Amino acid sequence: MAIQFTLNGKAQSVDVDPQMPLLWVLRDTLNLTGTKFGCGMALCGACTVHIDGEATRSCVTPVSEVAGKKVTTIEGLSAGLSHPVQKAWIELDVPQCGYCQSGQIMSAAALLAKKSRPTDAEVDDAMSGNICRCGTYQRIREAIHRAAQMHAAAAGQKTSPEKQTKEPGETAAMTSNEPAAVATGAGGAE
Ligand code: FES
Ligand code: FES
Protein backbone atom coordinates (compact mmCIF):
# COMPACT_ATOMS: atom_id res chain seq x y z
CA MET A 1 0.00 0.00 0.00
CA ALA A 2 1.27 3.43 -0.89
CA ILE A 3 2.61 5.58 1.94
CA GLN A 4 1.77 9.25 1.67
CA PHE A 5 3.55 12.13 3.28
CA THR A 6 4.69 15.66 2.53
CA LEU A 7 8.24 15.88 1.24
CA ASN A 8 9.84 19.28 0.95
CA GLY A 9 6.43 20.89 0.75
CA LYS A 10 4.92 18.62 -1.87
CA ALA A 11 2.63 15.64 -1.56
CA GLN A 12 4.60 12.44 -1.99
CA SER A 13 3.44 8.87 -2.36
CA VAL A 14 5.73 5.84 -2.35
CA ASP A 15 4.82 2.21 -2.84
CA VAL A 16 7.56 0.40 -0.95
CA ASP A 17 8.00 -1.99 1.96
CA PRO A 18 6.68 -0.07 4.98
CA GLN A 19 9.73 -1.16 6.96
CA MET A 20 12.17 0.30 4.47
CA PRO A 21 14.24 3.01 6.15
CA LEU A 22 13.28 6.51 5.12
CA LEU A 23 16.89 7.10 4.08
CA TRP A 24 16.67 4.31 1.50
CA VAL A 25 13.43 5.75 0.16
CA LEU A 26 14.89 9.23 -0.12
CA ARG A 27 18.10 8.18 -1.80
CA ASP A 28 17.19 5.11 -3.83
CA THR A 29 13.50 5.56 -4.60
CA LEU A 30 13.25 9.34 -4.83
CA ASN A 31 16.83 10.08 -5.87
CA LEU A 32 17.36 12.73 -3.20
CA THR A 33 20.99 12.01 -2.47
CA GLY A 34 21.78 15.08 -0.37
CA THR A 35 20.98 13.05 2.73
CA LYS A 36 23.92 10.75 3.41
CA PHE A 37 24.41 7.21 4.63
CA GLY A 38 27.09 6.88 7.27
CA CYS A 39 26.53 4.17 9.84
CA GLY A 40 22.95 3.01 9.38
CA MET A 41 22.64 2.70 13.15
CA ALA A 42 21.70 6.17 14.39
CA LEU A 43 25.28 6.77 15.50
CA CYS A 44 26.67 9.41 13.15
CA GLY A 45 23.93 11.85 12.12
CA ALA A 46 24.82 11.90 8.41
CA CYS A 47 21.25 10.91 7.54
CA THR A 48 19.50 13.62 9.55
CA VAL A 49 16.28 15.06 8.15
CA HIS A 50 13.39 16.91 9.73
CA ILE A 51 10.17 15.07 10.47
CA ASP A 52 7.53 17.55 11.56
CA GLY A 53 10.41 19.87 12.39
CA GLU A 54 12.35 17.42 14.56
CA ALA A 55 15.87 16.40 13.60
CA THR A 56 15.55 12.68 12.98
CA ARG A 57 17.90 9.89 11.85
CA SER A 58 16.34 8.67 8.65
CA CYS A 59 18.48 5.51 8.57
CA VAL A 60 16.53 3.98 11.45
CA THR A 61 13.12 5.46 10.67
CA PRO A 62 10.81 3.08 8.81
CA VAL A 63 9.09 4.97 6.04
CA SER A 64 5.73 3.92 7.48
CA GLU A 65 6.44 6.23 10.43
CA VAL A 66 6.30 9.34 8.27
CA ALA A 67 2.85 8.64 6.84
CA GLY A 68 0.87 11.87 7.05
CA LYS A 69 3.89 13.83 8.31
CA LYS A 70 6.10 16.56 6.90
CA VAL A 71 9.60 15.52 5.91
CA THR A 72 12.22 18.08 5.01
CA THR A 73 15.58 17.16 3.54
CA ILE A 74 18.60 19.33 2.78
CA GLU A 75 17.19 19.82 -0.71
CA GLY A 76 14.07 21.46 0.73
CA LEU A 77 15.55 23.44 3.60
CA SER A 78 15.39 26.72 1.71
CA ALA A 79 15.20 28.37 -1.64
CA GLY A 80 18.58 29.15 -3.11
CA LEU A 81 20.59 28.32 0.03
CA SER A 82 18.86 31.21 1.79
CA HIS A 83 18.44 29.59 5.18
CA PRO A 84 20.63 31.41 7.75
CA VAL A 85 22.40 28.17 8.60
CA GLN A 86 23.32 27.57 4.97
CA LYS A 87 24.46 31.16 4.58
CA ALA A 88 26.59 30.97 7.72
CA TRP A 89 28.06 27.64 6.60
CA ILE A 90 29.12 29.20 3.33
CA GLU A 91 30.41 32.39 4.94
CA LEU A 92 32.59 30.48 7.41
CA ASP A 93 33.58 27.81 4.91
CA VAL A 94 32.59 25.07 7.33
CA PRO A 95 32.82 21.84 5.29
CA GLN A 96 35.99 19.95 4.68
CA CYS A 97 35.18 16.73 2.79
CA GLY A 98 31.49 17.63 3.13
CA TYR A 99 30.13 14.17 3.75
CA CYS A 100 28.63 14.86 7.16
CA GLN A 101 27.53 18.38 6.43
CA SER A 102 23.95 17.98 5.24
CA GLY A 103 23.24 16.16 8.49
CA GLN A 104 25.06 18.84 10.46
CA ILE A 105 23.06 21.58 8.75
CA MET A 106 19.74 19.86 9.34
CA SER A 107 20.53 19.36 13.04
CA ALA A 108 21.66 22.98 13.36
CA ALA A 109 18.52 24.26 11.65
CA ALA A 110 16.30 22.22 13.96
CA LEU A 111 18.20 23.55 16.98
CA LEU A 112 17.84 27.18 15.91
CA ALA A 113 14.14 26.73 15.19
CA LYS A 114 13.74 25.98 18.90
CA LYS A 115 16.53 28.09 20.41
CA SER A 116 17.16 31.28 18.54
CA ARG A 117 20.32 32.14 20.53
CA PRO A 118 21.76 28.89 21.87
CA THR A 119 24.71 28.83 24.23
CA ASP A 120 27.87 26.89 23.43
CA ALA A 121 26.68 24.16 25.77
CA GLU A 122 23.31 23.98 24.03
CA VAL A 123 25.01 23.82 20.65
CA ASP A 124 27.33 21.07 21.80
CA ASP A 125 24.44 19.15 23.31
CA ALA A 126 22.24 19.42 20.22
CA MET A 127 25.06 18.58 17.83
CA SER A 128 26.71 15.81 19.84
CA GLY A 129 25.13 13.08 17.72
CA ASN A 130 26.52 14.46 14.47
CA ILE A 131 29.98 13.08 13.85
CA CYS A 132 32.51 14.80 11.62
CA ARG A 133 35.55 12.74 10.76
CA CYS A 134 37.25 15.88 9.46
CA GLY A 135 36.90 17.59 12.81
CA THR A 136 35.04 20.71 11.70
CA TYR A 137 33.34 21.04 15.07
CA GLN A 138 34.80 24.44 15.90
CA ARG A 139 33.59 25.97 12.64
CA ILE A 140 30.20 24.31 13.04
CA ARG A 141 29.77 25.94 16.42
CA GLU A 142 30.87 29.33 15.07
CA ALA A 143 28.52 29.01 12.12
CA ILE A 144 25.55 28.22 14.34
CA HIS A 145 26.19 31.37 16.34
CA ARG A 146 26.62 33.33 13.10
CA ALA A 147 23.33 31.93 11.78
CA ALA A 148 21.63 33.02 15.00
CA GLN A 149 22.98 36.54 14.46
CA MET A 150 21.75 36.58 10.87
CA HIS A 151 18.33 35.42 11.90
CA ALA A 152 18.11 38.04 14.65
CA ALA A 153 19.13 40.74 12.18
CA ALA A 154 16.55 39.57 9.67
CA ALA A 155 13.86 39.48 12.35
CA GLY A 156 14.81 43.04 13.35
CA GLN A 157 14.44 44.17 9.78
CA LYS A 158 11.03 42.56 9.56
CA THR A 159 9.73 44.39 12.60
CA SER A 160 11.29 47.74 11.73
CA PRO A 161 9.20 49.66 9.18
CA GLU A 162 12.13 51.80 8.07
CA LYS A 163 14.17 48.68 7.35
CA GLN A 164 11.88 46.79 5.08
CA THR A 165 14.52 46.32 2.42
CA LYS A 166 16.31 43.05 2.99
CA GLU A 167 19.26 41.38 1.51
CA PRO A 168 18.38 38.65 -0.96
CA GLY A 169 17.43 35.56 1.00
CA GLU A 170 17.76 37.26 4.36
CA THR A 171 14.12 36.68 5.19
CA ALA A 172 14.26 32.92 5.46
CA ALA A 173 12.74 32.10 8.82
CA MET A 174 14.55 29.41 10.70
CA THR A 175 11.27 28.05 11.90
CA SER A 176 10.14 27.41 8.37
CA ASN A 177 10.20 23.92 7.04
CA GLU A 178 8.58 25.03 3.86
CA PRO A 179 10.70 24.08 0.96
CA ALA A 180 11.27 25.72 -2.20
CA ALA A 181 13.35 24.98 -5.12
CA VAL A 182 16.04 22.41 -4.79
CA ALA A 183 18.79 23.79 -2.63
CA THR A 184 21.36 21.21 -1.86
CA GLY A 185 23.65 22.87 0.57
CA ALA A 186 26.26 20.29 1.27
CA GLY A 187 28.99 18.66 -0.66
CA GLY A 188 30.33 15.18 -0.32
CA ALA A 189 30.15 12.15 -2.49
CA GLU A 190 26.76 10.75 -3.24
S1 FES B 1 23.58 6.95 8.81
FE1 FES B 1 21.98 7.45 10.15
S2 FES B 1 22.98 8.05 11.98
FE2 FES B 1 24.58 7.32 10.70
S1 FES C 1 33.46 17.52 6.72
FE1 FES C 1 34.33 15.56 6.38
S2 FES C 1 33.22 14.26 7.75
FE2 FES C 1 32.55 16.25 8.26
Side-chain angles (χ1 to χ4, degrees):
M1 193 174 79
I3 295 162
Q4 297 176 339
F5 55 102
T6 301
L7 177 60
N8 295 335
K10 293 181 182 167
Q12 182 71 59
S13 179
V14 289
D15 194 358
V16 297
D17 182 339
Q19 290 306 307
M20 183 181 285
L22 176 61
L23 178 60
W24 274 228
V25 175
L26 292 172
R27 290 181 56 85
D28 296 342
T29 305
L30 302 174
N31 203 30
L32 289 175
T33 55
T35 307
K36 304 302 184 194
F37 170 77
C39 65
M41 300 170 67
L43 298 173
C44 75
C47 65
T48 303
V49 299
H50 296 173
I51 298 177
D52 285 349
E54 294 288 334
T56 305
R57 308 301 188 230
S58 62
C59 68
V60 292
T61 303
V63 67
S64 58
E65 281 191 16
V66 304
K69 296 182 179 176
K70 291 181 180 175
V71 177
T72 305
T73 68
I74 187 72
E75 289 90 347
L77 185 62
S78 74
L81 307 180
S82 60
H83 191 288
V85 169
Q86 292 170 306
K87 293 172 71 174
W89 244 246
I90 292 167
E91 182 180 307
L92 297 181
D93 206 9
V94 172
Q96 191 162 317
C97 80
Y99 197 83
C100 72
Q101 296 291 329
S102 54
Q104 304 278 4
I105 287 170
M106 296 307 284
S107 288
L111 165 65
L112 290 173
K114 290 181 181 163
K115 289 247 172 203
S116 58
R117 298 303 293 258
T119 64
D120 279 348
E122 288 168 336
V123 169
D124 292 347
D125 185 51
M127 302 299 293
S128 63
N130 286 82
I131 307 302
C132 176
R133 286 180 299 173
C134 300
T136 62
Y137 299 112
Q138 193 62 35
R139 291 202 296 276
I140 286 170
R141 186 198 275 180
E142 288 172 20
I144 290 172
H145 290 310
R146 178 71 183 116
Q149 286 175 352
M150 288 180 182
H151 181 60
Q157 285 180 335
K158 276 183 185 173
T159 55
S160 174
E162 69 275 15
K163 291 185 178 178
Q164 288 297 314
T165 305
K166 305 170 182 71
E167 290 179 28
E170 193 75 359
T171 57
M174 289 193 293
T175 52
S176 172
N177 285 318
E178 293 308 312
V182 171
T184 305
E190 292 191 350

